[in-house]
Amino acid sequence: MRRDLVVQVVLDYGEFVETFATAYEAENYINTNVDELDVPVRAWLEDLRGNVKWTYDILDDDAGIFRLCERPISGRQRLIRNPSN
């Protein structure tokens, strides 16, 4: 298998990072641990060489569930939060 095709989702909490195979697993981790860990500072998808494929916005839907939404890579990393957070 080509190593550049294997990817992982990375959640950066500032003091540590967690990695997951899929965005679905990462979303479940965020929503399960939001009371203990709060929301990650940023999230992105990278290949095993460390090349960032794209970044995620972390959005809170109106039901209080956090979702990862893909966006193109830009020079800025940002976290979009709902005012209710």
Side-chain angles (χ1 to χ4, degrees):
M1 179 182 295
R2 290 179 41 185
R3 292 181 58 87
D4 61 333
L5 297 179
V6 179
V7 293
Q8 61 187 1
V9 177
V10 181
L11 300 178
D12 181 3
Y13 281 92
E15 297 177 11
F16 65 95
V17 297
E18 293 286 342
T19 59
F20 301 90
T22 66
Y24 177 76
E25 290 174 353
E27 285 177 352
N28 283 337
Y29 184 83
I30 293 168
N31 290 305
T32 302
N33 297 299
V34 71
D35 292 333
E36 291 179 37
L37 303 175
D38 202 16
V39 179
V41 176
R42 60 190 184 127
W44 66 90
L45 183 89
E46 68 180 30
D47 64 19
L48 291 183
R49 294 182 181 164
N51 300 318
V52 175
K53 299 296 184 179
W54 61 74
T55 56
Y56 291 104
D57 286 328
I58 304 169
L59 303 174
D60 179 4
D61 66 9
D62 291 333
I65 305 295
F66 290 95
R67 304 280 183 209
L68 296 178
C69 298
E70 301 168 10
R71 68 179 164 95
I73 297 174
S74 68
R76 295 181 1 196
Q77 298 286 334
R78 63 188 170 94
L79 172 66
I80 297 176
R81 286 190 161 180
N82 188 322
S84 66
N85 291 345

